[in-house]
Amino acid sequence: MKRVILLMALLLPACLFAAPAGIDRVEPPFWWTGFKNTNLQIMIHGKDIANTTVSITGSNPGGLSIIKVHTVGNPNYLFIDLKLGASAKPGVFKLCFSNRGQVVESYNYELKQRKPGSAGRKSFDNSDVIYLIMPDRFANGDITNDNIAGMKENVDRSKPDSRHGGDIKGIMDHLDYLKELGVTTLWMTPLLENDQPVYSYHGYSATDFYKVDPRFGTNDDYVKLGDALHQKGMKLIIDQVFNHCGSEHWWMKDLPSDDWINQWPEFTRSTYRAGSVSDPYVSATDSIKFNRGWFDKTMPDLNQRNPYMKNYLIQNSIWWMEYASIDGIRQDTYPYPFKDMMSEWGKRMLEEYPNLNIVGECWMNYPATVAYWQKGSKNLDGFNSNLPSVFDFPLHDALIQAFNEKEGWNTGILRLYEIIAQDFSYPKPMDLVTFADNHDVNRYLDTQNDDIRKLKMAMAFILTTRGIPEIFYGTELLMTTGADKGHGTIRRDVPGGWQGDSRNAFTAAGRNDPENDMYNMIHNLLHYRKSSTALQTGKLLHFVPEDGIYTYFRYNSQSTVMVIMNNNEEQKTLETGRYKEVLKNFSSGREICNGKYITDLSKLTIPSKSVLIIELKH
Ligand code: CA
């Protein structure tokens, strides 16, 4: 019997006898068959791994071959190019690493089956309203993950810039709240591990691109959140960052090569002048400093010109899309990375997911400089980003000015009209993501001296004009930054999200009257928008503002919605003869916020600082 076992052992592949793997990183950790692009580049990290030869042994799930194995400057890395042939099947194959004929390491690499319909998944679009959550600040559903042994930062709710303990479970517990509010799509700021000593809560300093931060939950929890959203008919947007990682990222202690990140003789900050990328007259000095300067001392600037880094980022993006059934992507600091790589990324994503929508954070103040970055722009330099959507920062800026300013020839409500009237700059203005505020800017109420009327006007505007609206969590609860200004207080905890909170703002009983009034206004408009194809995808026709009044229509063959914004401190009675090219087809209307019928459209009364939204009737 012993002799038979010995004989069998001799016949088995040598790598079964390999010593325990000293390999500490294999990224991506697994992959899928069935992608259009059949190339896969696996990064291996392990002590002196470059001194081995790589082979596939044991069961090979068909059609799989090693094309090339690359060594880079550091012997602790290998990059393995694999080709998944047409006959590649899901399964596990063994990567063996040999030195002088002896297998010294091995890794069981899994190729999974793609989920049915994965490639054709619908993304977020004009029918959606995005709700932006900072997971550390929404709700703490699991206090056992607040502090994780060995991680560098613990919870301290007394400090606005520390971790507060919110997590995926907390969001899972409040999906009914989001569904009832009427938003359709969830964008969470990044959930990847950020094992940084300070400011780790915001998620923009990844220390592992393949792992959800344990203080938020597990990778599996993230998948379950996506599944739960889908079961409720909602969508999930992932927030990705290609420009930088965290200074405590594991590879910072052992970089693959000197050019893995952009390095400077001394710390050099990006100019943050994103407009310099599209500037026809830009100096090389400015261009390099913007593009290769670091976003912050704790955020090393990734070098997307490095071909291995390029593959790494593209594959990481695809990996999360497939792994967690993601519906859409928000890309952070979009103009900061090497733009040709970003264009290639967009192309690859749209090849694998033809319906995918990606919105880029192109934080600039003019329609022209933002439009440069939208897919299909006719740019003088020929650049095409392959980025379907961009945030409408110019409209955000106009929203801050419009209701605060005294009405004048160039001021007040005209600000909104002027930005919208520049939509010719964009290949697809309807796909812009519109917002009154987000996690990086002042809360809208703070910009309007806490005047709730102005917040209501802003919400009415972004939910009825063109675009895909985004609402920052807490807007419906009149959340403000207060006296203690700063990023940490823009991102306040939702009352009721933490055990021991004095009230629960997730319930009507836990909200005060003004909060309930705001909640109800947003709730009613969101639910109306869900059923109004005119507001989602209808055409826009607007009239030049006069006397502080801006009037526009959203319409299609089914319905027409009239919106009148009164930016005056007085109630106005409006003679509507000026709008007869539209109104001639209608005899009455219904106010959608209160259901009131209007039988005479020739004269309309709009209270001070308010918006009238009317569904017109024949
Ligand atoms: Ca927690």
Side-chain angles (χ1 to χ4, degrees), residues 135-136 139-147 155 164-170 214-217 498:
D136 184 57
N140 188 356
D142 179 4
I143 57 167
T144 68
N145 65 16
D146 287 4
N147 301 314
V155 160
H164 289 191
D167 46 37
I168 294 174
K169 175 73 166 49
R215 293 162 294 189
F216 290 139
W498 276 253

Side-chain angles (χ1 to χ4, degrees), residues 180-196:
E180 176 54 27
L181 177 62
V183 293
T184 69
T185 303
L186 180 59
W187 157 28
M188 289 170 289
T189 50
L191 290 152
L192 290 179
E193 183 196 90
N194 273 226
D195 193 12
Q196 296 283 125

